[in-house]
Amino acid sequence: MAREFQRGHKAKISDLTAGTDLYVGVQIAGPGLSFDISCFGLDADEQLSDDRYFIFFNQPKSPEESLQLLGAQAGDTESFRVTLDRIPANIHKLSFTATLDGAGQMSQVGPGYIRIVAGGEEVVRYAFTGSEFTTERAVMLGDFYLKDVWRFAAVGQGFDGGLDALLRNFGGEVAEEEPAAPEPVTGGAPPAFAPPAFAPPAQSTPPPAFGAPAGPPAPAPAPTPPPVHAAPTIVAPMTPPGGTVPPPSPAPAPYGQPAPASYGQPAAAPFGQPAPAPYGQPAPAPYGQQPPGPPQGVPQGVPQGVPPGGAGLQAALQPYRELPTGQRWTPQNGQLMRVDLGEGGSPVLARQGSMVMYQGKVDFGYKGAGFAGRIVGNATGQEMQLMRCTGKGQVFLAEEGAHLHPVELQGDGICVSAENVLAFDESLRYEIRRIEGHGIPGGALFTMLFQGTGTVVVKTHGIPVVLPVTPTTFADCNAVVAWSAASQVIISSQVRLRRNAYPGHSGETVNLQFRGAPGNFIVVQPYEV
């Protein structure tokens, strides 16, 4: 049975199917609308660094055929074949998109979906409607992305602009079309307005058995044309602008005589003599002498401090513009986090007062812990004052310039002190966990345990370091931020009688000792709370 995804949901491909030969079907339609459905093969920086992995109607397959455009079939507007184990190592993400070809906007589309079929059985489906969009002309539907293993994410992110704007967003180039040469008029029949006939290319492999349920056969893919994203050719004009013709070059002077001057230009000086200065300009200094005027090395008449990217307000603000995103959580910089809220998606719980800006229709409500929760929070020091963010839009979160780190959980768990939590998906389960110990008053410390599928944003003072857990791993309880939930944590106390009574005392009295199997970790910040 297919799993129904909502916007922002993610899963490992191995949790959906054991196969790597997949069928991806997209269904999207609207009255009077026409769509271009494409797949972008992106590198680790989410850029289209190789145009051969832009799969669309003019380029139906990648060089090694790990990505193939199959056409409309089985009720799908467009379909693709994706062979994950054949994708080259430089491709880290496959982004499936739909863009409008002509007038219209995405709010006019009817119910649609993107689905994955493996072995003839549908394993996941993400459905959407036009009510989720407004004036956008493109939408990023879903992503296959490599994060230690291949995973799938339901994106559903609208994008202003059409296919050209989406291509530029991924770092591609749009080729400028040259005007077609007029065809000679002949006495024969007028040309037909239909694509030319061609022989279908030979199939190197049999049609996939993984595909969609039986339906009408897919049309044969068109032959691969040369790359369309080449830099535009610039042809030099045959005549100068304005139609003026430059005067002919002067005839060479007899040997040993200075060349005659052109009209309005000073005559050349005899050999060994300094050339006369142009009219109204100071004469040049003799060879080896400093010319008069301002010191050398200082440009005259040129504004100083012009940035390398150009002058002007737009160039100055360009490095700080909002980063494009197709994910639910996106760091805008080290201290600012953006979260996308969608209709029907999971709400977000964030620390009260952490919102610095939002776009769209977003509601903020108080998230109470209840009387028992407040009592436990006050007793353990793990109380969190939270607000609940719902609606449709984007919320930007920050707190006192702290460094922010989104941690994605896929059914696993992480322990984080409540003081170091900025926000998290409401779908995550969280509870207070006790750290066993002895030798200090109370005999225990406490932390928050987060489990499930979703993201928790951890904040730190400075850039943290992640260390593996070994049998001799100790950390200061005031500097440790988080650790894997499977780690065993024991309080190691060095408190002794009259410890502070003599000079030279180290001040390091309470540490946490970590134990666990290989793969466990701790996160420590360069700061003591």
PDB file of all heavy atoms in Angstrom, residues 498-513:
ATOM      1  N   ARG A 498      36.397  19.910  51.638  1.00  0.00           N
ATOM      2  CA  ARG A 498      37.265  21.078  51.667  1.00  0.00           C
ATOM      3  C   ARG A 498      38.075  21.180  50.367  1.00  0.00           C
ATOM      4  O   ARG A 498      39.239  21.572  50.358  1.00  0.00           O
ATOM      5  CB  ARG A 498      38.209  21.026  52.883  1.00  0.00           C
ATOM      6  CG  ARG A 498      37.472  20.978  54.207  1.00  0.00           C
ATOM      7  CD  ARG A 498      38.439  20.907  55.373  1.00  0.00           C
ATOM      8  NE  ARG A 498      39.301  22.091  55.441  1.00  0.00           N
ATOM      9  CZ  ARG A 498      38.946  23.254  55.978  1.00  0.00           C
ATOM     10  NH1 ARG A 498      37.746  23.389  56.510  1.00  0.00           N
ATOM     11  NH2 ARG A 498      39.788  24.281  55.988  1.00  0.00           N
ATOM     12  N   ARG A 499      37.438  20.819  49.258  1.00  0.00           N
ATOM     13  CA  ARG A 499      38.139  20.877  47.976  1.00  0.00           C
ATOM     14  C   ARG A 499      38.560  22.302  47.641  1.00  0.00           C
ATOM     15  O   ARG A 499      39.620  22.526  47.043  1.00  0.00           O
ATOM     16  CB  ARG A 499      37.212  20.344  46.870  1.00  0.00           C
ATOM     17  CG  ARG A 499      37.803  20.399  45.475  1.00  0.00           C
ATOM     18  CD  ARG A 499      38.860  19.329  45.296  1.00  0.00           C
ATOM     19  NE  ARG A 499      39.544  19.432  44.032  1.00  0.00           N
ATOM     20  CZ  ARG A 499      39.941  18.417  43.297  1.00  0.00           C
ATOM     21  NH1 ARG A 499      39.688  17.189  43.739  1.00  0.00           N
ATOM     22  NH2 ARG A 499      40.583  18.583  42.182  1.00  0.00           N
ATOM     23  N   ASN A 500      37.716  23.285  47.982  1.00  0.00           N
ATOM     24  CA  ASN A 500      38.002  24.667  47.645  1.00  0.00           C
ATOM     25  C   ASN A 500      38.777  25.395  48.738  1.00  0.00           C
ATOM     26  O   ASN A 500      38.933  26.603  48.686  1.00  0.00           O
ATOM     27  CB  ASN A 500      36.695  25.427  47.382  1.00  0.00           C
ATOM     28  CG  ASN A 500      35.945  24.832  46.204  1.00  0.00           C
ATOM     29  OD1 ASN A 500      36.561  24.287  45.299  1.00  0.00           O
ATOM     30  ND2 ASN A 500      34.621  24.942  46.235  1.00  0.00           N
ATOM     31  N   ALA A 501      39.264  24.660  49.704  1.00  0.00           N
ATOM     32  CA  ALA A 501      39.905  25.311  50.849  1.00  0.00           C
ATOM     33  C   ALA A 501      41.363  25.635  50.603  1.00  0.00           C
ATOM     34  O   ALA A 501      41.975  26.317  51.405  1.00  0.00           O
ATOM     35  CB  ALA A 501      39.784  24.419  52.092  1.00  0.00           C
ATOM     36  N   TYR A 502      41.949  25.145  49.521  1.00  0.00           N
ATOM     37  CA  TYR A 502      43.354  25.429  49.286  1.00  0.00           C
ATOM     38  C   TYR A 502      43.519  26.065  47.912  1.00  0.00           C
ATOM     39  O   TYR A 502      42.738  25.826  47.001  1.00  0.00           O
ATOM     40  CB  TYR A 502      44.166  24.140  49.379  1.00  0.00           C
ATOM     41  CG  TYR A 502      43.762  23.073  48.401  1.00  0.00           C
ATOM     42  CD1 TYR A 502      44.342  23.008  47.119  1.00  0.00           C
ATOM     43  CD2 TYR A 502      42.791  22.123  48.738  1.00  0.00           C
ATOM     44  CE1 TYR A 502      43.968  22.040  46.231  1.00  0.00           C
ATOM     45  CE2 TYR A 502      42.413  21.159  47.835  1.00  0.00           C
ATOM     46  CZ  TYR A 502      43.008  21.105  46.584  1.00  0.00           C
ATOM     47  OH  TYR A 502      42.622  20.135  45.706  1.00  0.00           O
ATOM     48  N   PRO A 503      44.573  26.892  47.745  1.00  0.00           N
ATOM     49  CA  PRO A 503      44.786  27.497  46.428  1.00  0.00           C
ATOM     50  C   PRO A 503      45.233  26.454  45.411  1.00  0.00           C
ATOM     51  O   PRO A 503      45.772  25.406  45.761  1.00  0.00           O
ATOM     52  CB  PRO A 503      45.891  28.531  46.689  1.00  0.00           C
ATOM     53  CG  PRO A 503      46.514  28.141  47.985  1.00  0.00           C
ATOM     54  CD  PRO A 503      45.525  27.346  48.749  1.00  0.00           C
ATOM     55  N   GLY A 504      44.986  26.729  44.131  1.00  0.00           N
ATOM     56  CA  GLY A 504      45.359  25.817  43.067  1.00  0.00           C
ATOM     57  C   GLY A 504      44.261  24.853  42.682  1.00  0.00           C
ATOM     58  O   GLY A 504      44.450  24.013  41.813  1.00  0.00           O
ATOM     59  N   HIS A 505      43.108  24.991  43.274  1.00  0.00           N
ATOM     60  CA  HIS A 505      41.974  24.125  42.938  1.00  0.00           C
ATOM     61  C   HIS A 505      41.547  24.381  41.496  1.00  0.00           C
ATOM     62  O   HIS A 505      41.468  25.511  41.033  1.00  0.00           O
ATOM     63  CB  HIS A 505      40.848  24.412  43.931  1.00  0.00           C
ATOM     64  CG  HIS A 505      39.481  24.325  43.376  1.00  0.00           C
ATOM     65  ND1 HIS A 505      38.939  23.143  42.951  1.00  0.00           N
ATOM     66  CD2 HIS A 505      38.537  25.281  43.196  1.00  0.00           C
ATOM     67  CE1 HIS A 505      37.709  23.378  42.530  1.00  0.00           C
ATOM     68  NE2 HIS A 505      37.452  24.659  42.665  1.00  0.00           N
ATOM     69  N   SER A 506      41.269  23.307  40.711  1.00  0.00           N
ATOM     70  CA  SER A 506      41.027  23.427  39.274  1.00  0.00           C
ATOM     71  C   SER A 506      39.659  23.998  38.956  1.00  0.00           C
ATOM     72  O   SER A 506      39.465  24.602  37.902  1.00  0.00           O
ATOM     73  CB  SER A 506      41.158  22.052  38.604  1.00  0.00           C
ATOM     74  OG  SER A 506      40.089  21.209  39.002  1.00  0.00           O
ATOM     75  N   GLY A 507      38.676  23.809  39.781  1.00  0.00           N
ATOM     76  CA  GLY A 507      37.323  24.271  39.495  1.00  0.00           C
ATOM     77  C   GLY A 507      36.516  23.285  38.677  1.00  0.00           C
ATOM     78  O   GLY A 507      35.327  23.491  38.469  1.00  0.00           O
ATOM     79  N   GLU A 508      37.110  22.213  38.147  1.00  0.00           N
ATOM     80  CA  GLU A 508      36.391  21.204  37.358  1.00  0.00           C
ATOM     81  C   GLU A 508      35.958  20.095  38.303  1.00  0.00           C
ATOM     82  O   GLU A 508      36.710  19.173  38.602  1.00  0.00           O
ATOM     83  CB  GLU A 508      37.295  20.648  36.248  1.00  0.00           C
ATOM     84  CG  GLU A 508      37.865  21.703  35.314  1.00  0.00           C
ATOM     85  CD  GLU A 508      36.784  22.384  34.502  1.00  0.00           C
ATOM     86  OE1 GLU A 508      35.659  21.847  34.426  1.00  0.00           O
ATOM     87  OE2 GLU A 508      37.043  23.452  33.944  1.00  0.00           O
ATOM     88  N   THR A 509      34.721  20.204  38.791  1.00  0.00           N
ATOM     89  CA  THR A 509      34.275  19.280  39.823  1.00  0.00           C
ATOM     90  C   THR A 509      33.260  18.258  39.325  1.00  0.00           C
ATOM     91  O   THR A 509      33.241  17.132  39.799  1.00  0.00           O
ATOM     92  CB  THR A 509      33.635  20.065  40.972  1.00  0.00           C
ATOM     93  OG1 THR A 509      32.574  20.862  40.452  1.00  0.00           O
ATOM     94  CG2 THR A 509      34.671  20.962  41.632  1.00  0.00           C
ATOM     95  N   VAL A 510      32.386  18.602  38.367  1.00  0.00           N
ATOM     96  CA  VAL A 510      31.333  17.696  37.912  1.00  0.00           C
ATOM     97  C   VAL A 510      31.469  17.513  36.404  1.00  0.00           C
ATOM     98  O   VAL A 510      31.391  18.481  35.647  1.00  0.00           O
ATOM     99  CB  VAL A 510      29.929  18.226  38.260  1.00  0.00           C
ATOM    100  CG1 VAL A 510      28.867  17.259  37.752  1.00  0.00           C
ATOM    101  CG2 VAL A 510      29.801  18.430  39.748  1.00  0.00           C
ATOM    102  N   ASN A 511      31.701  16.275  35.969  1.00  0.00           N
ATOM    103  CA  ASN A 511      31.785  15.944  34.541  1.00  0.00           C
ATOM    104  C   ASN A 511      30.771  14.863  34.224  1.00  0.00           C
ATOM    105  O   ASN A 511      30.247  14.183  35.117  1.00  0.00           O
ATOM    106  CB  ASN A 511      33.191  15.435  34.172  1.00  0.00           C
ATOM    107  CG  ASN A 511      34.249  16.514  34.374  1.00  0.00           C
ATOM    108  OD1 ASN A 511      33.993  17.680  34.091  1.00  0.00           O
ATOM    109  ND2 ASN A 511      35.412  16.109  34.878  1.00  0.00           N
ATOM    110  N   LEU A 512      30.504  14.694  32.915  1.00  0.00           N
ATOM    111  CA  LEU A 512      29.658  13.614  32.434  1.00  0.00           C
ATOM    112  C   LEU A 512      30.537  12.615  31.707  1.00  0.00           C
ATOM    113  O   LEU A 512      31.311  12.983  30.823  1.00  0.00           O
ATOM    114  CB  LEU A 512      28.571  14.138  31.489  1.00  0.00           C
ATOM    115  CG  LEU A 512      27.587  15.150  32.073  1.00  0.00           C
ATOM    116  CD1 LEU A 512      26.575  15.573  31.015  1.00  0.00           C
ATOM    117  CD2 LEU A 512      26.859  14.573  33.278  1.00  0.00           C
ATOM    118  N   GLN A 513      30.406  11.331  32.068  1.00  0.00           N
ATOM    119  CA  GLN A 513      31.124  10.281  31.380  1.00  0.00           C
ATOM    120  C   GLN A 513      30.167   9.583  30.419  1.00  0.00           C
ATOM    121  O   GLN A 513      29.035   9.251  30.779  1.00  0.00           O
ATOM    122  CB  GLN A 513      31.691   9.262  32.361  1.00  0.00           C
ATOM    123  CG  GLN A 513      32.481   8.146  31.666  1.00  0.00           C
ATOM    124  CD  GLN A 513      33.033   7.139  32.651  1.00  0.00           C
ATOM    125  OE1 GLN A 513      32.713   7.181  33.830  1.00  0.00           O
ATOM    126  NE2 GLN A 513      33.848   6.214  32.169  1.00  0.00           N
TER     127      GLN A 513
END
